[in-house]
Amino acid sequence: MATKQAQALGKWALAPSVAVLAAWSFVPLALTLYFAFLRYNLQDPDNTGWAGFSNFYYFFKDPYFLKDLANTLLLVGGIIITTVVGGVFLALLLDQPFWGRGIVRLLMISPFFIMPTVSSLVWKNLLMHPVFGLFAGIQKYFGAQEAIDWFGRYPLLSVGIIVSWQWLPYAALILLTALQSLDEEQKDAAAMDGAPAISFFRYIILPHLSRPITVVILIETIFLLNIFAEIKVTSVGGFAGNLTYLVFSQLNDATDVGMAAAGGLVAVVLANIVSVFLVRIVGKNLEA
Amino acid sequence: MARKISNRRKLLTTIIAWVIGLLLFFPIFWTAVAAFKTESDAYTLPQNWLSTPWTLENFGIVQERSNYFRYVFNTSVIVILSTLLGLVFAIPAAWSMAFAPNPEGGSKISSLGWLGIVLGSLAICFVALYFNNWKPTNAVIGILLLFIFVVPASLWAWSRNTHNMLLWMLSTKMMPPAGALIPIYLIFNRNGLVFRDWGWANWGDYNIMDSFWGMVPLMTLLNLPIVIWMLFTYFKEIPVGILEAARMDGASLWNELSRVLTPMALPGIASTCLLNLILSWNEAFWSLNLTNKYAAPLSFFISEYSSPEGQFWAKLSAASMMAIAPILIIGWFSQKQLVRGLTFGAVK
Amino acid sequence: MGTISLNKVRKAFGDAVIIPGADLEIKNGEFVVFVGPSGCGKSTLLRLIAGLEDMTSGEIKIDGNDVTDTPPSGRGLAMVFQSYALYPHMTVRNNIAFPLKMAKMPQAEIDQKVNHAAQTLNLNDYLERRPGQLSGGQRQRVAIGRAIVRNPKAFLFDEPLSNLDAALRVNMRIFIMQLHKDLGSTSIYVTHDQVEAMTMADRIVVLNKGHIEQVGSPLELYNKPDSLFVAGFIGSPKMNFVENDTIGIRPEHIEISEKRGEWQGKVLLSEHLGSDTFLHIDAGARGRLTVRASGENTFAPGTNVWMTPDKSRMHYFGKDGRTIRK
């Protein structure tokens, strides 16, 4: 509906953002692609030239690769199941009338605003420490001889718990918002029909939440593939590292740019599989 | 609620909800308690958190030992400047997409343009070869890569219509940082090593590692897609008729934007800024990888406590509280408006 | 001054032609109404005149100057929108003052003009309120106030009354007509309501699928419609068409009797309006007819009646839908 003048102006208004975003998204990717085929180690500047597919070959053969890939998938899968199931429950709970709803809502949403480095260290030390931590204290109170050494024995689970704690409020907040858009009349009608709570949940609420749940799953997947600070700061990269951490350590510890770039490309491919679906869902909802 | 709920049920819900709410909040509460204890009391916190004395000394020690305010300053510089820079890019872009949309798609590049690109890239390769004594090095390959991959991809992005342009912008937010880490790290880090055999690119001692010059633009780019997208949705809610009325009333484009659109969109712009603030305040991946002293933000500051010497829990807690308190409060106030930004608008 | 002339004005979005080519001369001080069903292009035509949209081709002149490439702000026209389009973040006073501020008028003069407009529009008590605190009718008066303060060359009204309730609509209609009489400025008024068109216009422009079907005074259109479309659109209740749409006769030009007449039929339904009674009659092969009878008439449904059309008020149409004048 806009006039030609406005449209011409609009192009100039849009161009800077497109330019910087294009540069940001394509240049590093192209360079990563390029580095992935080079022999390029920061400690060994004389060893140069094309590497062919050997970076990929060695990256895939790295004993950490399969382990870290498995860790990545376990983390993403486990955290998503926890947060979505917990999120649905919390959303249903917060949708009920009760005293102090506003305050409880604030309490529940809080973990999402906590810096990842803070939550990692607080959980690792104050809560999960095998001797002085709160969990150990509780165990001892109930008469246990020796408390669980969370990060020593279950590093992956521990990271999973911390990240779940951070993302549970996210799922709950999104699903609550979706739940509140459910028509009051529909709820009333179901109540008038005498629908029992279970079938009301099964036939009204769950179908209504199916799309928001999909969105939560996709967005969480994209962010959870990139869990980094929680692993780095709690120093469990050797046991519970994921792909992102592996790329980091190839660059930082092994100083092998070529291998790290190959790993980066694997991460990109993995993330792209998810973002294709996410973009499609977002696209359907976008009025532009 | 139109339905009647018995008080007994309401009481039950209240108890369950409060218990769960307090449980979820507990780690934050526990950190707050530890922050006000002496170091030795902090280690026996589970046994005696009520009986031991309270103290403020940790906050002073944290500031003294690790210069907390320096990190607050760094974080603030990065967060505020990147938010402002983001708005400078995003407001015109969002205005353009909301009010001057391009349904047919942007500029298609003509065959003449393509010819220019090919000839241009060949010319640059030629120059690069000349300065490198006619040795075909990685520089040439790099340039060719740029023109074979980057330029066509950018032009492809530019030719999207408004709908696909937005989706493309959002998709850039979905790219994993691991895919960009290596080149960004190298570009930030040391000139000689990135371009070690790109003979032509000896740019001297530039180094934007651990500096605001690197972190501010980077943070802007990280959040730009979400900022543009959120502003777009807020602008969309403003009836076009009002802008047209301003045009009929004789307002120039500048007046239309500054006196009508911006004041009307102010609440939306504010919540966009808040989301941007929260995201960049808590950003950890790039901060941990690209800073260590001069431009290090709070998330780096906290990570320094991961392996310190001596007793540190009370100080860690005090530092943590100081790092999260501002954003926690902002988050509480803006949680309702954040939903749209947090889901890319896929949930309303 | 305020003459507007359109010369072969055409608007198309790609292959979709909205207005194939419109020619129109509007004289200074005239009240012209664009009327037609929704989607006929009347609003688009108005927006082309306003400059809010680009023409595909053609030319628009205001006071003899070609404004085809002039942006809306440079055309010196004022517009009243269907949605009022008030600035929600400004007070009523600032809303009305906005065009004057844009024209960089001195503050004293602005105050004086705003107060005068508020006086005229009876808005004195609301000047410090925001649009959100006003009723629909008050908002519409603010929108009109914003349009009149700067003495535009012409007023453009885009269905300004369609968001108001029926009673208020009649009041505002009279108010706008009074205002036009007082100010004497050229006005273009878009509506889909033919009653508004008939009561307000000096000249009516009937649009159909982007074409200007006919231009004329309300009575010309009523008495001498150029086409089947105009005949059917102007007048309420609608004109009756018989003999495969080749003959038209208005409900008020049929005489009805229980005893004798030319056409026979059976009363299906009667609507009593007090002053008039509209009878819906099943006339067999001629289909359903509407007849306007006096208010005292009380034909029960099912009554057999006879109808006599006034031959001199019959309209004849060709196969192409154009009027055949005899």
Side-chain angles (χ1 to χ4, degrees):
Chain A
M1 295 298 263
T3 58
K4 278 178 225 139
Q5 282 161 325
Q7 259 169 6
L9 213 62
K11 270 185 189 169
W12 285 109
L14 190 56
S17 295
V18 175
V20 294
L21 280 177
W24 165 242
S25 58
F26 297 133
V27 172
L29 199 60
L31 285 170
T32 305
L33 191 70
Y34 168 66
F35 290 142
F37 291 95
L38 282 188
R39 269 183 293 163
Y40 189 169
N41 193 313
L42 296 177
Q43 302 292 345
D44 188 6
D46 299 326
N47 182 11
T48 59
W50 288 102
F53 282 92
S54 69
N55 283 327
F56 292 95
Y57 177 76
Y58 287 113
F59 185 80
F60 290 134
K61 265 191 71 177
D62 187 333
Y64 277 112
F65 169 70
L66 278 184
K67 190 170 162 239
D68 287 359
L69 183 66
N71 284 346
T72 309
L73 298 179
L74 277 174
L75 274 179
V76 171
I79 294 167
I80 283 180
I81 291 172
T82 318
T83 54
V84 168
V85 172
V88 170
F89 174 75
L90 285 188
L92 286 174
L93 191 65
L94 282 174
D95 199 32
Q96 305 295 316
F98 61 85
W99 290 291
R101 205 153 79 150
I103 301 172
V104 170
R105 195 179 144 122
L106 288 187
L107 291 178
M108 283 189 186
I109 188 75
S110 300
F112 188 67
F113 299 122
I114 307 301
M115 209 175 266
T117 47
V118 166
S119 42
S120 311
L121 288 183
V122 164
W123 275 81
K124 185 182 177 184
N125 294 311
L126 271 66
L127 299 178
M128 288 174 156
H129 193 280
V131 181
F132 304 116
L134 177 72
F135 293 175
I138 294 172
Q139 272 189 305
K140 277 178 203 145
Y141 179 81
F142 286 107
Q145 288 302 307
E146 203 176 327
I148 302 172
D149 180 4
W150 288 90
F151 274 92
R153 282 180 56 195
Y154 312 108
L156 192 66
L157 178 66
S158 305
V159 170
I161 289 174
I162 297 176
V163 181
S164 300
W165 177 70
Q166 290 176 301
W167 283 87
L168 180 61
Y170 173 82
L173 185 64
I174 304 302
L175 296 177
L176 176 64
T177 309
L179 209 54
Q180 283 169 344
S181 72
L182 184 65
D183 206 353
E184 273 300 322
E185 285 184 9
Q186 210 177 344
K187 292 184 195 171
D188 290 342
M192 294 296 289
D193 293 345
I198 298 286
S199 48
F200 179 63
F201 177 74
R202 169 75 187 75
Y203 295 106
I204 309 275
I205 301 219
L206 217 48
H208 180 75
L209 286 185
S210 69
R211 220 178 51 107
I213 287 177
T214 319
V215 172
V216 167
I217 290 176
L218 291 173
I219 290 181
E220 283 198 7
T221 308
I222 291 206
F223 282 95
L224 295 178
L225 282 173
N226 305 324
I227 295 174
F228 175 74
E230 290 84 349
I231 295 170
K232 168 117 192 316
V233 172
T234 55
S235 331
V236 292
F239 314 102
N242 60 359
L243 270 184
T244 309
Y245 188 84
L246 184 59
V247 171
F248 159 79
S249 77
Q250 288 289 357
L251 181 70
N252 208 56
D253 307 335
T255 65
D256 191 335
V257 172
M259 279 260 269
L265 284 183
V266 175
V268 170
V269 170
L270 214 58
N272 273 6
I273 298 171
V274 185
S275 43
V276 165
F277 291 103
L278 181 55
V279 163
R280 221 168 264 172
I281 290 196
V282 171
K284 268 187 206 149
N285 240 35
L286 191 67
E287 304 145 17
Chain B
M1 279 282 155
R3 283 162 295 150
K4 268 205 174 144
I5 305 279
S6 70
N7 267 352
R8 239 181 74 200
R9 190 174 150 195
K10 198 168 165 181
L11 187 68
L12 192 70
T13 322
T14 309
I15 294 169
I16 297 173
W18 273 92
V19 167
I20 293 176
L22 289 172
L23 272 179
L24 279 175
F25 189 75
F26 186 78
I28 301 169
F29 165 76
W30 200 237
T31 314
V33 171
F36 293 98
K37 296 290 179 181
T38 64
E39 204 57 80
S40 49
D41 287 340
Y43 280 88
T44 51
L45 211 54
Q47 288 90 47
N48 58 9
W49 72 275
L50 268 179
S51 58
T52 48
W54 302 87
T55 172
L56 282 171
E57 66 179 22
N58 297 308
F59 296 94
I61 298 173
V62 165
Q63 164 59 21
E64 207 172 294
R65 285 216 195 138
S66 43
N67 202 358
Y68 163 77
F69 283 109
R70 171 64 198 250
Y71 293 97
V72 173
F73 172 76
N74 287 352
T75 303
S76 311
V77 168
I78 294 173
V79 164
I80 292 170
L81 288 187
S82 73
T83 304
L84 291 180
L85 190 61
L87 287 183
V88 168
F89 280 94
I91 289 181
W95 168 81
S96 163
M97 290 196 277
F99 298 114
N102 214 336
E104 287 105 33
S107 323
K108 304 270 191 305
I109 194 100
S110 64
S111 44
L112 204 67
W114 285 114
L115 191 69
I117 289 166
V118 171
L119 289 180
S121 65
L122 287 177
I124 297 171
C125 288
F126 186 82
V127 173
L129 281 169
Y130 172 80
F131 281 109
N132 214 35
N133 297 322
W134 303 105
K135 271 186 275 177
T137 61
N138 289 336
V140 180
I141 295 157
I143 292 163
L144 281 176
L145 199 67
L146 199 71
F147 281 94
I148 290 166
F149 183 78
V150 176
V151 172
S154 309
L155 290 173
W156 169 84
W158 181 234
S159 70
R160 304 291 83 198
N161 61 26
T162 300
H163 178 96
N164 291 329
M165 177 80 81
L166 267 172
L167 289 183
W168 168 73
M169 285 181 168
L170 280 183
S171 74
T172 65
K173 180 69 195 167
M174 300 170 194
M175 186 177 67
L181 172 67
I182 296 98
I184 295 294
Y185 180 84
L186 292 175
I187 289 170
F188 269 43
N189 198 3
R190 280 154 289 184
N191 164 27
L193 281 173
V194 196
F195 304 106
R196 63 188 166 163
D197 49 359
W198 292 29
W200 53 284
N202 188 6
W203 294 338
D205 271 347
Y206 93 99
N207 190 343
I208 51 173
M209 191 68 155
D210 196 14
S211 80
F212 294 136
W213 294 107
M215 287 311 285
V216 170
L218 184 80
M219 210 62 89
T220 306
L221 287 170
L222 279 184
N223 294 324
L224 191 58
I226 290 188
V227 172
I228 292 180
W229 190 86
M230 258 183 104
L231 281 181
F232 168 80
T233 62
Y234 283 115
F235 285 180
K236 262 296 204 206
E237 286 171 6
I238 293 173
V240 191
I242 292 183
L243 298 187
E244 290 180 342
R247 258 169 256 172
M248 293 304 295
D249 285 343
S252 63
L253 181 71
W254 169 248
N255 279 327
E256 182 186 323
L257 292 186
S258 65
R259 291 191 183 223
V260 180
L261 178 66
T262 308
M264 281 180 72
L266 218 49
I269 294 176
S271 35
T272 308
C273 286
L274 284 180
L275 180 67
N276 195 36
L277 188 75
I278 293 171
L279 292 178
S280 33
W281 187 281
N282 287 345
E283 203 287 324
F285 182 86
W286 295 102
S287 305
L288 292 183
N289 272 302
L290 298 178
T291 63
N292 53 40
K293 192 171 177 196
Y294 298 109
L298 283 164
S299 42
F300 177 86
F301 160 72
I302 297 297
S303 76
E304 289 291 272
Y305 281 85
S306 66
S307 52
E309 313 212 325
Q311 296 186 316
F312 68 101
W313 284 17
K315 289 188 274 296
L316 163 69
S317 303
S320 297
M321 286 321 290
M322 290 197 280
I324 62 175
I327 232 59
L328 191 58
I329 291 164
I330 291 176
W332 280 344
F333 279 110
S334 55
Q335 44 144 348
K336 278 189 182 144
Q337 293 89 298
L338 294 184
V339 172
R340 89 162 79 192
L342 292 174
T343 59
F344 303 151
V347 171
K348 280 182 184 143
Chain C
M1 278 296 283
T3 64
I4 297 171
S5 71
L6 312 186
N7 185 10
K8 296 199 180 60
V9 169
R10 178 183 166 86
K11 175 69 180 174
F13 291 105
D15 293 335
V17 179
I18 312 294
I19 294 169
D23 293 290
L24 186 65
E25 294 288 336
I26 295 170
K27 292 192 274 294
N28 187 28
E30 214 175 6
F31 199 108
V32 173
V33 175
F34 292 175
V35 72
S38 59
C40 70
K42 56 191 188 295
S43 274
T44 307
L45 195 57
L46 190 76
R47 292 168 58 84
L48 289 175
I49 294 171
L52 293 171
E53 277 178 55
D54 291 322
M55 286 177 281
T56 310
S57 63
E59 179 186 61
I60 294 178
K61 283 183 180 172
I62 297 175
D63 286 346
N65 303 319
D66 186 353
V67 294
T68 309
D69 292 320
T70 311
S73 53
R75 295 194 182 190
L77 306 174
M79 187 152 166
V80 177
F81 292 82
Q82 176 177 3
S83 58
Y84 321 132
L86 300 178
Y87 310 120
H89 57 294
M90 296 181 195
T91 58
V92 168
R93 175 185 295 282
N94 286 335
N95 261 284
I96 298 176
F98 189 75
L100 303 179
K101 281 185 187 154
M102 290 300 105
K104 301 208 167 61
M105 195 177 272
Q107 190 61 44
E109 206 174 331
I110 292 181
D111 288 342
Q112 186 237 322
K113 289 208 173 212
V114 171
N115 288 334
H116 181 73
Q119 196 85 45
T120 317
L121 293 159
N122 210 0
L123 283 169
N124 277 332
D125 298 340
Y126 310 106
L127 277 176
E128 304 312 323
R129 293 204 195 167
R130 301 271 163 120
Q133 298 162 293
L134 302 181
S135 71
Q138 289 165 339
R139 286 183 212 188
Q140 192 56 274
R141 293 213 299 274
V142 177
I144 292 171
R146 194 173 61 181
I148 61 174
V149 275
R150 62 190 187 122
N151 299 327
K153 289 175 187 154
F155 292 107
L156 311 179
F157 295 92
D158 189 4
E159 308 218 17
L161 305 186
S162 54
N163 281 353
L164 300 177
D165 65 52
L168 207 53
R169 204 148 47 199
V170 175
N171 285 341
M172 284 303 286
R173 205 163 78 196
I174 294 163
F175 178 79
I176 292 176
M177 285 158 71
Q178 187 63 46
L179 200 70
H180 174 250
K181 225 176 117 195
D182 295 344
L183 298 174
S185 317
T186 312
S187 302
I188 304 177
Y189 187 106
V190 163
T191 180
H192 61 269
D193 180 353
Q194 60 94 23
V195 178
E196 262 175 39
M198 293 292 281
T199 50
M200 299 175 86
D202 292 330
R203 269 200 307 161
I204 297 179
V205 177
V206 183
L207 284 129
N208 181 26
K209 293 176 188 152
H211 285 280
I212 294 182
E213 285 272 337
Q214 191 173 357
V215 181
S217 72
L219 283 181
E220 271 168 26
L221 296 191
Y222 177 81
N223 289 326
K224 291 175 183 163
D226 274 350
S227 65
L228 195 65
F229 178 81
V230 176
F233 196 77
I234 299 290
S236 173
K238 218 175 151 237
M239 186 185 281
N240 297 302
F241 297 109
V242 293
E243 314 286 330
N244 289 329
D245 289 350
T246 54
I247 295 174
I249 180 77
R250 296 200 183 273
E252 51 271 43
H253 300 146
I254 300 175
E255 216 170 309
I256 191 154
S257 150
E258 265 175 302
K259 298 179 184 95
R260 71 185 82 78
E262 280 180 36
W263 300 342
Q264 202 205 349
K266 190 192 266 179
V267 174
L268 292 171
L269 197 73
S270 54
E271 292 178 275
H272 298 283
L273 300 184
S275 56
D276 301 307
T277 302
F278 296 133
L279 300 167
H280 298 268
I281 294 166
D282 180 7
R286 291 192 178 84
R288 234 172 182 225
L289 300 180
T290 314
V291 173
R292 177 174 155 186
S294 73
E296 294 82 45
N297 242 318
T298 48
F299 291 106
T303 317
N304 275 316
V305 289
W306 292 89
M307 292 162 288
T308 314
D310 179 351
K311 287 269 162 46
S312 66
R313 317 288 307 244
M314 273 190 178
H315 305 269
Y316 300 92
F317 304 101
K319 284 267 177 284
D320 58 355
R322 309 303 301 175
T323 303
I324 301 167
R325 306 240 189 259
K326 290 193 171 167

